[in-house]
Each structure stands twice: as C-alpha cells, then as structure tokens.
Amino acid sequence: NTPQEKSRLKPASRHSECLTKYSSLENFMTVYSPSRQFELARNPDDCIFGNYPELGDLDEQYGMNSAAKWIIPQLDSISKFTSVKVKFEPEQMAELAQIIAIEHPTMKVSEFMLFVFWFKAGHYDKFYGSIDAFVITKALDQFFNPDYKYSRNAIKFQHYKKISNKK
C-alpha cells in the first residue's frame, strides 16, 4: 500500500471485535433486536461503558446504511408501543433512521436501545395524535444533554461519582 492508500484506510474500530461474532447484519439484528432493550435497560452503566459497537461500526462492518437498517426495528418498536392513531410511514422511519445514523455515528447500539427504552418509559416528550420524528430527534438531544436526568452524561457522572467515593 502506498502512503496515500494507507491514509484512506479507516482505522479499526475498538468495538469491531464484538461485531466479528456475527457473520451478517441479519445475525447482528437478531441478537440486538428490540426485545433486548429490557435486558440492557437494567444496567445503564453497561450500556454506556460496555463493549458494544457504535452505529458507525455497523456501516463499516456490514456496508453502507447498515446502521439505519438496524435502527428501523428499534424505531418501529416505539411506533408499536404508542397509542397514537397515525404511525410512522415506512419512508418516514427510513429517513429518520438515516438521520440518526449520520448524526450519531459514535453512539453505541446499547445506548440507542437504552434511549428507546427510556423514551417508552416516558422520560422524554410525548406524541400528540401522531408519531413525530422531531419529538424523537429532540429526545435524542436530551439524551446527550449533560443537564438532563435521563442522559448518557448523567449516567457517566453517577458512575464516576461512585468510583471516586470508593477511593
């Protein structure tokens, strides 16, 4: 490889070793299906600090748009969970999944599943009459907001506080 070719190669992801367990995106999606949200939500620290692949890792390992393909069933679980009459159209869900994958490539799949669980648990805004993609994107903003109680940064703060209290 020439120096130019080497500079174009992506560095290996620190989470890619856990992706090698799954031979295909379909296998990965089976293991990390929406039903696993409950298991992961029991340990938010593990969702944040555990060795889980990031959304961007899915695209690197399984090809372009793989993260969005994985996100769609997660979003569909929100759509099915709500009591609103007007659900997501498939095109809306696919577009929202793409936006999330592009905006948050370093978000771990476990963090996204925790976010979906917390969303269903009512920790973010709710829908009025129909599912609204903006409500979900704004809730994701809250998930990354360090001042919000149900955010990944709040979990990090609590985790480090526990560690420092043990010293």
Side-chain angles (χ1 to χ4, degrees):
N1 290 345
T2 67
Q4 292 84 6
E5 288 172 327
K6 286 181 184 174
S7 69
R8 285 190 302 236
L9 296 174
K10 292 182 180 178
S13 165
R14 59 190 168 99
H15 305 288
S16 61
E17 66 274 3
C18 73
L19 284 174
T20 58
K21 294 184 217 174
Y22 314 105
S23 59
S24 67
L25 178 62
E26 291 73 25
N27 289 342
F28 179 84
M29 289 175 69
T30 300
V31 173
Y32 288 92
S33 71
S35 62
R36 192 153 182 211
Q37 293 166 5
F38 304 103
E39 171 195 337
L40 292 172
R42 287 187 175 90
N43 189 350
D45 282 0
D46 184 55
C47 291
I48 307 300
F49 298 104
N51 186 22
Y52 296 97
E54 297 171 350
L55 296 176
D57 295 335
L58 297 179
D59 287 341
E60 287 180 27
Q61 181 77 19
Y62 303 117
M64 185 71 95
N65 300 322
S66 294
K69 288 176 188 170
W70 176 80
I71 290 169
I72 287 172
Q74 306 296 325
L75 294 174
D76 191 46
S77 76
I78 293 173
S79 185
K80 289 176 180 172
F81 183 79
T82 65
S83 61
V84 297
K85 290 184 168 108
V86 181
K87 305 290 186 182
F88 272 129
E89 292 293 326
E91 301 81 26
Q92 289 174 300
M93 200 175 318
E95 188 171 351
L96 178 56
Q98 283 286 359
I99 290 167
I100 292 167
I102 291 167
E103 286 286 305
H104 303 286
T106 60
M107 184 179 201
K108 293 179 182 180
V109 296
S110 54
E111 291 174 318
F112 189 74
M113 294 176 83
L114 177 64
F115 161 77
V116 171
F117 177 86
W118 281 349
F119 190 93
K120 290 177 184 177
H123 299 305
Y124 304 105
D125 206 358
K126 66 179 196 170
F127 300 116
Y128 296 95
S130 64
I131 286 203
D132 186 342
F134 289 117
V135 172
I136 293 174
T137 56
K138 286 300 181 193
L140 265 172
D141 286 346
Q142 286 180 303
F143 184 79
F144 289 103
N145 179 343
D147 298 325
Y148 191 68
K149 179 180 177 183
Y150 291 96
S151 73
R152 88 176 185 178
N153 289 340
I155 296 298
K156 285 181 178 183
F157 176 75
Q158 292 168 2
H159 177 80
Y160 291 128
K161 189 174 176 182
K162 282 185 226 173
I163 291 171
S164 66
N165 288 340
K166 289 180 182 178
K167 291 181 179 179

